Amino acid sequence: MTNNRIIEVLHEIAELLELKGENKFKIRAYLKLAAFLSGYERELTDVYAAGGKDAVLEVPNIGEGIGKKIIELLQTGKLKYLEELRASLPEGVETFMKIPGMGPRTAVFVSQQMHAKNVEELEALLENHKLSGMKGFGEKTEEKIRRGIALYRRGESRKYLNVAFAAAAEIISELKKRHKFTRIEYAGSLRRLKETVGDVDILAESDDKSVMDTFTTLDCVKDVIVKGDTKSSVNTVHGMQADLRLVEPGAWGAALQYFTGSKEHNVLLREIAVKKGYKLNEYGLFTADGKKKTESASEEEIYGKLSLDYIPPELREGSGEIEAALKHALPDLIVQEDIKGDLHSHSSYSDGSDEISVMAASAKKMGYKYLAITDHSKSLKVAHGIDDKTMLKKIKEIDELNKNQKGFMILKGTEVDILPDGSLDYPDELLAKLDIVIGSIHMNFSMEPAEMTERLIRAINNPYLNIIGHISGRLINHREPYEFDYEEVFKAAKKTGTALEINANPERLDLTDVKVKAAVGHGVKLAIGTDSHGTEQLGHMMYGIGVARRGWATKNDVINTWDLDKLLGWVAKKRKA
Ligand code: DGT
Ligand code: CA
Ligand code: CA
Ligand code: ZN
């Protein structure tokens, strides 16, 4: 729980209290603490770790009442008071507030004055232009809410990869505690590492029907949709449906292949099977008369019998992988072990929750050779961007820390803002003192695509800029990407020796898999960065690798598979050019 997150919570409480017409002094106490925390140099979670509850209560502006709530947040990551506050609002308001672009005030207005109780009724109001013309509502606002509803719906039906992964991991580990399985694995879109996941599909090799009793009564199960001997479905507290299928021994490969999908891939694969005189389904690979089952204990056997090279799950989208497998022309995809370091991370200098030394220790423990600390630049006030003077201090600190490192180096970096005109938020002389520079757009998103393209290309042409961060600015299920000409940007990146980032944060995944494939086609280098704001996010690398693999990228395409010398040499080359 970072101070930033706590500040968000405090703001939301204040806003809700105001909507409820509560006492002004009470509201002001929350806002005052929020303002104080945004300039406070210590993370409350550190204060708590070091000195417990008493230390937290000694922080200025934290009184007895708010203090209790802060401690609950620090301990559990949640706050009952806020949940109750949200639930106490008029019908619909809680849901409306989840719609991107709709604040509490609009939500209450729509509920109280316009009598909409759910998203469908809100849509009907928009459809009939009942809102435009109302106080503060124009056509633009209507359009914004309409787009927000589309994002909201997507978010309700498709979840982030890390959420799906946590759900699958919990179910599998709980089932394993109580049953012995020869094999148990997740399949579906999660195994393909698709950017969002509709539901979690789990396969277990077992003929023990009591597994279903365990599955349907797990702690994380909210309600049971269907329960059968070989297939059950439940809704989980992770906000996702999960399906469990029991597979007979001997049919594992066929079942895993079938339920990994995608549907498009499976359809094409079945056609190949038919051409070869086979029949393929989730129970096995059969001869055309449906009698003799060929071996189908593993996926490798099935692909092999069909004269195809083994196709990794991430490629199974029906987008050319089968043709490539027939011609033995599949790419040698990048793997986790190829990664030598993480090139995008934040420390407590800007909006991260951990100090540089703590981040570095974590990265080193993961077996990395380097970690770039890339805090925000001065214009990004909301994320505590650091000014030139502080940057110099940070450079000194990293140089000191590096004196004690063996076989590992902390890279002095920044995620410098790309300003509207394409210039960077630090002068070249300062950038020259750094090891690596990411440039990102965090402000002024609404620009004509041609202007945005120009902005990006001007940044790319700066000899000190090495990586463009999260290039489209999208937040999955939350904010649409801005538009620009990818082709032009790829060409400029290739020409100047600039890498494009695959941001591994599961809420970003930007570049997308499709754009990665196009970038690789242009010979553009990629950098996979987690954009970690704390040590617990360094593990997000796996999702970035998933995107890279789905984009057919190999080790050679990704700069953070390089040794330190090669990486620094590549940076130096652009500076000299
Ligand atoms: P999701 O859950 O929407 O993120 O995507 P998937 O791919 O996990 O889809 P899901 O859960 O509906 O089904 C899991 C896999 O089962 C799917 O990838 C392929 C297979 N499958 C499901 N329905 C069909 C079908 O009608 N035909 C074929 N060939 N395969 C299917
Ligand atoms: Ca699924
Ligand atoms: Ca499913
Ligand atoms: Zn950023």
Side-chain angles (χ1 to χ4, degrees):
M1 178 71 44
T2 60
N3 283 2
N4 277 336
R5 178 73 195 106
I6 293 172
I7 291 167
E8 278 172 28
V9 169
L10 293 170
H11 277 294
E12 186 176 349
I13 292 175
E15 212 154 2
L16 294 179
L17 289 176
E18 203 177 335
L19 288 173
K20 290 177 70 112
E22 293 267 347
N23 180 308
K24 275 206 183 88
F25 294 101
K26 198 167 155 186
I27 298 169
R28 208 169 293 157
Y30 287 99
L31 293 176
K32 207 169 150 200
L33 176 58
F36 169 76
L37 283 182
S38 70
Y40 190 48
E41 70 277 12
R42 291 193 69 194
E43 284 291 325
L44 288 182
T45 175
D46 296 339
V47 173
Y48 178 70
K53 291 180 192 175
D54 293 344
V56 173
L57 291 173
E58 272 165 27
V59 172
N61 295 300
I62 298 190
E64 192 75 32
I66 295 186
K68 257 198 189 148
K69 297 184 179 92
I70 300 283
I71 289 162
E72 185 184 333
L73 270 172
L74 292 169
Q75 286 174 333
T76 67
K78 284 192 224 144
L79 184 58
K80 248 210 199 90
Y81 176 69
L82 176 59
E83 281 161 24
E84 284 166 7
L85 209 51
R86 284 184 187 144
S88 71
L89 291 168
E91 198 178 346
V93 171
E94 222 191 322
T95 312
F96 295 152
M97 277 173 48
K98 289 189 198 146
I99 297 173
M102 235 170 127
R105 219 166 290 275
T106 323
V108 168
F109 173 78
V110 166
S111 157
Q112 298 282 73
Q113 313 290 321
M114 303 306 294
H115 310 291
K117 292 188 289 296
N118 51 46
V119 178
E120 287 71 28
E121 293 182 11
L122 171 59
E123 271 182 316
L125 289 174
L126 291 166
E127 183 89 10
N128 302 315
H129 298 286
K130 284 278 185 338
L131 292 179
S132 68
M134 301 299 296
K135 202 167 154 252
F137 277 93
E139 257 172 54
K140 266 208 172 129
T141 322
E142 277 197 324
E143 185 49 35
K144 193 169 128 197
I145 297 176
R146 214 173 277 129
R147 281 204 305 269
I149 290 174
L151 288 166
Y152 166 78
R153 287 241 163 83
R154 238 186 287 160
E156 287 298 291
S157 60
R158 304 203 59 84
K159 301 293 175 186
Y160 299 128
L161 263 178
N162 57 330
V163 174
F165 188 76
E170 179 177 348
I171 292 168
I172 291 175
S173 99
E174 289 301 316
L175 288 175
K176 274 180 165 172
K177 276 186 200 160
R178 295 203 247 155
H179 299 269
K180 270 206 173 351
F181 299 101
T182 35
R183 287 168 166 130
I184 181 162
E185 223 177 293
Y186 57 82
S189 52
L190 177 58
R191 184 161 179 248
R192 304 198 311 278
L193 288 174
K194 196 174 157 155
E195 65 181 33
T196 55
V197 174
D199 69 4
V200 170
D201 303 281
I202 295 172
L203 300 184
E205 191 171 70
S206 170
D207 45 20
D208 175 3
K209 297 192 170 39
S210 76
V211 170
M212 288 306 185
D213 298 328
T214 308
F215 176 61
T216 51
T217 56
L218 289 176
D219 278 348
C220 68
V221 169
K222 239 173 37 188
D223 52 80
V224 178
I225 303 165
V226 280
K227 184 182 170 197
D229 286 346
T230 58
K231 189 201 157 179
S232 299
S233 297
V234 299
N235 284 313
T236 71
V237 295
H238 301 274
M240 304 189 73
Q241 184 184 320
D243 298 345
L244 174 68
R245 285 185 183 78
L246 297 188
V247 179
E248 285 172 32
W252 178 257
L256 184 60
Q257 195 291 315
Y258 182 91
F259 290 110
T260 295
S262 67
K263 214 164 148 178
E264 292 73 15
H265 175 87
N266 287 355
V267 168
L268 294 169
L269 199 65
R270 257 195 323 255
E271 281 172 14
I272 299 219
V274 169
K275 272 191 209 144
K276 294 209 172 272
Y278 291 116
K279 223 175 82 184
L280 177 64
N281 58 32
E282 65 261 51
Y283 305 106
L285 185 64
F286 302 91
T287 50
D289 57 15
K291 274 195 195 124
K292 214 172 116 235
K293 195 166 165 177
T294 66
E295 282 305 312
S296 39
S298 76
E299 288 189 319
E300 282 81 357
E301 280 171 28
I302 292 173
Y303 284 102
K305 270 268 185 310
L306 300 175
S307 314
L308 296 168
D309 287 345
Y310 175 75
I311 303 176
E314 296 92 333
L315 295 187
R316 300 183 196 167
E317 295 295 343
S319 54
E321 72 278 9
I322 292 189
E323 293 84 334
L326 272 172
K327 287 189 284 191
H328 310 296
L330 284 172
D332 191 6
L333 298 180
I334 181 173
V335 293
Q336 176 85 45
E337 293 69 37
D338 293 330
I339 299 293
K340 298 255 164 61
D342 193 335
L343 294 177
H344 191 161
S345 75
H346 297 267
S347 74
S348 45
Y349 266 94
S350 65
D351 59 345
S353 55
D354 293 310
E355 288 182 10
I356 295 175
S357 59
V358 176
M359 292 294 284
S362 249
K364 199 173 168 183
K365 220 164 123 194
M366 291 172 72
Y368 287 164
K369 300 285 178 215
Y370 46 83
L371 171 72
I373 302 286
T374 53
D375 284 307
H376 292 290
S377 60
K378 58 194 170 202
S379 290
L380 200 61
K381 300 249 162 35
V382 290
H384 296 269
I386 60 183
D387 59 22
D388 303 29
K389 214 175 107 202
T390 314
M391 178 62 103
L392 292 173
K393 178 172 159 241
K394 191 180 130 176
I395 289 172
K396 256 201 187 141
E397 182 182 328
I398 294 180
D399 283 338
E400 273 311 305
L401 286 168
N402 273 334
K403 281 186 189 155
N404 305 316
Q405 301 285 356
K406 264 201 212 94
F408 182 87
M409 189 158 152
I410 305 167
L411 299 180
K412 292 165 277 187
T414 178
E415 181 183 12
V416 63
D417 256 73
I418 300 175
L419 302 173
D421 66 355
S423 63
L424 304 181
D425 196 24
Y426 286 130
D428 285 357
E429 306 80 70
L430 183 58
L431 295 176
K433 295 190 201 308
L434 300 173
D435 298 314
I436 195 153
V437 173
I438 302 177
S440 298
I441 291 178
H442 294 110
M443 290 172 284
N444 301 82
F445 293 121
S446 31
M447 270 188 168
E448 288 301 316
E451 267 185 292
M452 193 55 103
T453 309
E454 242 175 79
R455 179 180 183 182
L456 285 165
I457 290 179
R458 178 158 177 222
I460 285 172
N461 284 329
N462 183 311
Y464 295 99
L465 185 134
N466 308 113
I467 301 167
I468 297 276
H470 49 70
I471 199 164
S472 83
R474 76 156 174 180
L475 296 174
I476 298 175
N477 295 340
H478 214 83
R479 184 169 74 207
E480 296 289 358
Y482 46 76
E483 282 172 44
F484 61 92
D485 189 335
Y486 276 91
E487 288 284 313
E488 291 301 315
V489 168
F490 290 155
K491 280 185 210 153
K494 163 81 182 155
K495 196 170 132 206
T496 54
T498 308
L500 302 183
E501 179 180 73
I502 296 177
N503 191 291
N505 182 322
E507 298 179 21
R508 288 193 182 267
L509 301 181
D510 185 9
L511 302 167
T512 65
D513 47 12
V514 172
K515 296 302 182 197
V516 167
K517 203 171 176 186
V520 168
H522 277 80
V524 172
K525 293 290 179 217
L526 306 164
I528 309 178
T530 58
D531 201 349
S532 288
H533 284 69
T535 54
E536 77 286 354
Q537 293 169 12
L538 289 167
H540 286 166
M541 186 58 79
M542 63 180 283
Y543 306 118
I545 293 172
V547 175
R549 288 168 63 87
R550 290 176 58 83
W552 296 50
T554 65
K555 183 178 171 181
N556 282 334
D557 299 314
V558 178
I559 63 170
N560 50 316
T561 64
W562 294 345
D563 289 333
L564 190 57
D565 288 349
K566 184 167 176 187
L567 181 70
L568 296 178
W570 174 81
V571 169
K573 195 172 156 203
K574 183 172 179 186
R575 289 183 184 183
K576 265 189 283 174

